[in-house]
Amino acid sequence: MRNPRITAAKKLRSQWICRGCLQQGVRSPWPTAQFSTTYRKDPRQNLRRRIIWATVGGSLAIGAITSFQDIKHGAAVVQRSARVVGALLLNVNDYRMVLNSKEKDKDGEGWQSTLRACHQRCADRTLRVLEQNGSIFIKLGQHLSSMNYLLPLEWTRTFIPLQDHCPESSYEAIEQMFIDDTGQPIAAHFDTFDRHPIGAASLAQVHLATMKDTGAKVAVKVQHPALKEWVPLDLALTRMTFSTLKYFFPEYDLEWLSNEMESSLPQELDFALEGKNALVTKRYFSTIKDTPLLVPDVYWGRKRILVMEYVAGHRTDDLAYLDSNGIDRDEVSAALARIFNEMIFGDTPLHCDPHGGNLAVVRRNDRRTRHNFDIILYDHGLYRDIPIQMRRNYAKLWLAVIDADEKGMRKYAREVAGVTDEQFPLFASAITGRDYRAVTTSVISTRSEEEKEVVSGAMGEGMLQELVQLLGQVPRIVLLILKTNDLTRNLDESLQTREGPVRNFLILAHYCSRTVFREQMEIIHGRGNMLWPRNMLYRLAAWSSYLRVEAKLSLYEWYIFFRRVGGPDGVQTRKAKRYSSSSM
């Protein structure tokens, strides 16, 4: 006989988000951030004793495997490993105890309260370990704090302090690293070198300095010296953690997180590679007409040291700075959209770590260009090449989304990410940040307050397993592209632009249609002589499709210009410009 409690829990997975969706037969793609209730049961006799022995045994095993060549660090290795293994097993036990009690608790609200308390206990316990171990655990915590679409609120909220809580390496440790890596002390390279960093992140910190030969003011990015010692062990601990979670909670498989970290971290820790990436991006965008992107120049670099041009700016969402300097928020949003769409659909690698801390805006007084600002792009450690066929299929997917062509969306979602028809509503909402109903009607429209409530507060029950499975199966490059989409979408909302998402979608359509047009022309050229009547007709059709999108974007740009000049917004813009000119 089936347990009625288990049957009821399974039915939660097909709940509808609202009455409107129920009438239309559309399931919400938005998950409630709860942990899976599927786990492997194990006898609980003498559980505390097993946890203690597992902690000691696991710590010794990991320590022996990872650092047998360096006996003097053995005690530190065991201590570091014990923190992770101990917290992990206590958290697993905590969740298993709570999930086992679910069938005995008849009070639904009491069960939710118990689960939330468990979330908070485990998050607090994990935070202490991340802070004590530091190193890449800080970066992992920063990543987890932004995963509010997947983790319970108690977890993401608890990890927020890690965004600003980054360790600083001592000047003495930095000095020794210079000697080890360059054979000379800091004074041999710079006339001045600020002992205290102007900024610190999870992997590195930045010092201001003056070049010895030229007197140029530079920013010196130095890796935390301790990373060299601990990264191999910390990656092993991270991999073990997510494997253990998968064992006890099979439906909550987050091993792709540790796999992505193991793949990307070696690139991020190679500052010489970062310098090369920066120069490639700088050269590429120097050929793109009227693009307000500023990439600091690179003087020289080693694996753990990078010397760059010092270029200061303000956060792109510093609205007070933008307004007081006459910088149009809509133009900043449009510039960001053009820059990152060029990376996705152009012939250059994609910057894969585009969070707010890696972007800045600064006023530019050059009247020869249409923009009175530059977007500064920092931290070029993580780039990926997008295969050309994926660029093309992704462009076709977005054109189908903009045209509300559900058949086309499903076709290219399958080709881009292997998404099935059942997973498609969830994937469509993931790439657009919209409710599925909006995706199939008009994604260009501005999100209503009702839709925002549906997305943030009335998330559908039981979709977490589907979301985890989807994220685990799509290609890693697709996840990074989605991350870039989230950036531009969130920045557009934080800038509080007047135009909403309409202009950015038209800019996206421009890059997509350009990509498809180039593919069509390549196919036509492969068919033989361009003067053949059939090829001329194909070329005319390709041109007309491309020009139709270009005409829409141009007309909308002119509409924005005349409204800005003649409307109340234009009056405010001109006042801000006059204020900015008089203050210079």
Side-chain angles (χ1 to χ4, degrees), residues 190-371:
F190 308 102
D191 280 334
T192 64
F193 188 95
D194 289 357
R195 298 178 69 92
H196 301 289
I198 59 173
S202 56
L203 303 182
Q205 61 192 45
V206 178
H207 294 257
L208 291 181
T210 305
M211 294 286 285
K212 182 173 283 293
D213 297 332
T214 64
K217 191 174 184 180
V218 294
V220 184
K221 181 177 180 180
V222 292
Q223 193 176 119
H224 294 304
L227 288 174
K228 183 178 181 180
E229 177 184 0
W230 295 120
V231 161
L233 171 64
D234 292 348
L235 284 176
L237 289 170
T238 302
R239 182 170 58 251
M240 179 272 299
T241 296
F242 288 111
S243 297
T244 303
L245 289 176
K246 179 182 178 180
Y247 177 84
F248 284 101
F249 307 100
E251 295 177 0
Y252 207 73
D253 181 6
L254 293 177
E255 279 191 308
W256 56 269
L257 270 176
S258 60
N259 293 337
E260 178 58 33
M261 179 172 283
E262 288 191 73
S263 172
S264 63
L265 198 61
Q267 297 181 50
E268 293 185 81
L269 293 176
D270 188 347
F271 290 179
L273 176 62
E274 177 178 348
K276 293 177 182 177
N277 291 337
L279 293 177
V280 168
T281 301
K282 187 180 184 71
R283 283 195 296 267
Y284 179 82
F285 277 94
S286 68
T287 66
I288 307 298
K289 183 181 177 182
D290 203 24
T291 303
L293 178 65
L294 179 59
V295 177
D297 206 358
V298 176
Y299 290 97
W300 60 271
R302 299 286 188 274
K303 190 173 181 65
R304 297 193 292 173
I305 304 168
L306 185 63
V307 182
M308 305 165 290
E309 174 189 10
Y310 175 62
V311 183
H314 294 256
R315 287 183 60 93
T316 54
D317 57 358
D318 186 346
L319 304 184
Y321 173 78
L322 299 180
D323 295 343
S324 64
N325 283 273
I327 300 174
D328 194 309
R329 303 179 191 180
D330 291 82
E331 292 301 317
V332 173
S333 175
L336 287 167
R338 289 190 174 95
I339 289 167
F340 286 105
N341 278 310
E342 184 65 50
M343 289 185 176
I344 293 173
F345 299 106
D347 298 321
T348 187
L350 173 66
H351 187 294
C352 295
D353 195 18
H355 59 76
N358 287 339
L359 289 165
V361 62
V362 62
R363 179 176 171 80
R364 181 172 63 181
N365 296 318
D366 187 354
R367 298 181 181 275
R368 293 173 295 178
T369 61
R370 57 176 290 195
H371 300 101

Side-chain angles (χ1 to χ4, degrees), residues 492-523:
D492 185 65
E493 292 189 351
S494 67
L495 284 167
Q496 301 175 26
T497 58
R498 296 182 299 272
E499 308 305 328
V502 178
R503 189 182 188 188
N504 283 355
F505 273 116
L506 286 174
I507 292 172
L508 171 62
H510 157 73
Y511 285 94
C512 292
S513 62
R514 186 189 72 177
T515 302
V516 173
F517 172 73
R518 289 176 175 175
E519 180 187 20
Q520 291 173 334
M521 295 303 294
E522 184 180 301
I523 293 173

